[in-house]
Amino acid sequence: MTTPVCTGASRAATATAAGHHAYTPYASFSSYVRARGPVLLRTARSLTANPCDAEDLLQTALAKTYVAWERIEDHRALDGYVRRALLNTRTSQWRKRKVDEFACEELPEQGGVPAPDPAEQQSLHDAMWRAVLKLPDRQRAMVVLRYYEDLSEAQTAEVLGVSVGTVKSAVSRALGKLREDPELTPVR
């Protein structure tokens, strides 16, 4: 004789006919997880090497079980269903894993350039703005439009109402002045 785990459909029909609120499976699912959680976690730990991965695996399997909760009618089938969900989820994770990890005896050296100091970056930013502010108005406007606003030479010429050649020569002279600025010499 089987004992129904979830009689949600019959309870919902009875409750609706009697004018009561519909039955929700939260209570029976929660009590099942509280009662069987430690055993299921041991099963999940046997499938993974990392305890944190085992907890994630169990959580995923329980989420899948909850979705199918109304369809599972036998208490004896619950553990089997969750174990099958654990195994299927773990198999899917294993199949999807990236194979770009290689075991080696030595750790590779940390490559790349160390991250710049934010204080130095701010200092350089401030020095650059001070140098730009020393430029004549017209050159400053062209440098700002070209390099800070990222406009093309043609767009800069159109905004300022000058020719493209004027923009090229003025920006060239402005960059020359910026290269000569004593505050920016450590940057070179």
Side-chain angles (χ1 to χ4, degrees):
M1 180 174 183
T2 62
T3 307
V5 171
C6 189
T7 56
S10 61
R11 283 190 187 176
T14 307
T16 307
H20 296 93
H21 294 288
Y23 171 77
T24 59
Y26 291 113
S28 61
F29 181 77
S30 295
S31 63
Y32 171 74
V33 172
R34 276 192 299 276
R36 301 298 294 162
V39 174
L40 295 170
L41 184 58
R42 279 194 302 272
T43 303
R45 283 188 179 155
S46 70
L47 295 172
T48 64
N50 184 342
C52 294
D53 290 343
E55 291 174 4
D56 290 343
L57 179 63
L58 178 59
Q59 188 70 26
T60 303
L62 288 173
K64 290 178 180 180
T65 303
Y66 182 76
V67 169
W69 191 253
E70 294 288 330
R71 291 180 281 149
I72 303 170
E73 296 181 1
D74 187 357
H75 276 289
R76 294 174 296 174
L78 280 175
D79 284 350
Y81 186 94
V82 175
R83 284 190 187 105
R84 176 51 64 187
L86 284 167
L87 187 60
N88 290 345
T89 303
R90 182 64 184 139
T91 302
S92 294
Q93 291 171 346
W94 178 80
R95 286 180 180 157
K96 291 178 185 176
R97 78 165 199 249
K98 293 184 179 180
V99 191
D100 59 350
E101 297 179 19
F102 302 101
C104 60
E105 293 190 22
E106 290 184 25
L107 289 175
E109 292 184 25
Q110 293 292 335
V113 179
D117 181 21
E120 288 179 21
Q121 284 183 317
Q122 186 62 45
S123 175
L124 177 61
H125 181 266
D126 293 344
M128 180 58 90
W129 268 114
R130 282 191 300 273
V132 168
L133 289 173
K134 292 178 191 174
L135 294 172
D137 292 341
R138 188 172 177 174
Q139 287 180 358
R140 182 177 44 227
M142 291 182 191
V143 166
V144 168
L145 289 173
R146 282 284 292 129
Y147 297 106
Y148 287 96
E149 295 295 325
D150 201 27
L151 297 181
S152 67
E153 291 169 342
Q155 290 170 325
T156 303
E158 185 179 332
V159 168
L160 296 176
V162 296
S163 70
V164 175
T166 303
V167 171
K168 288 181 180 182
S169 62
V171 167
S172 176
R173 283 191 303 275
L175 292 177
K177 289 179 182 178
L178 291 174
R179 283 188 202 99
E180 298 299 320
D181 192 294
E183 281 191 84
L184 299 179
T185 48
V187 176
R188 288 187 249 149

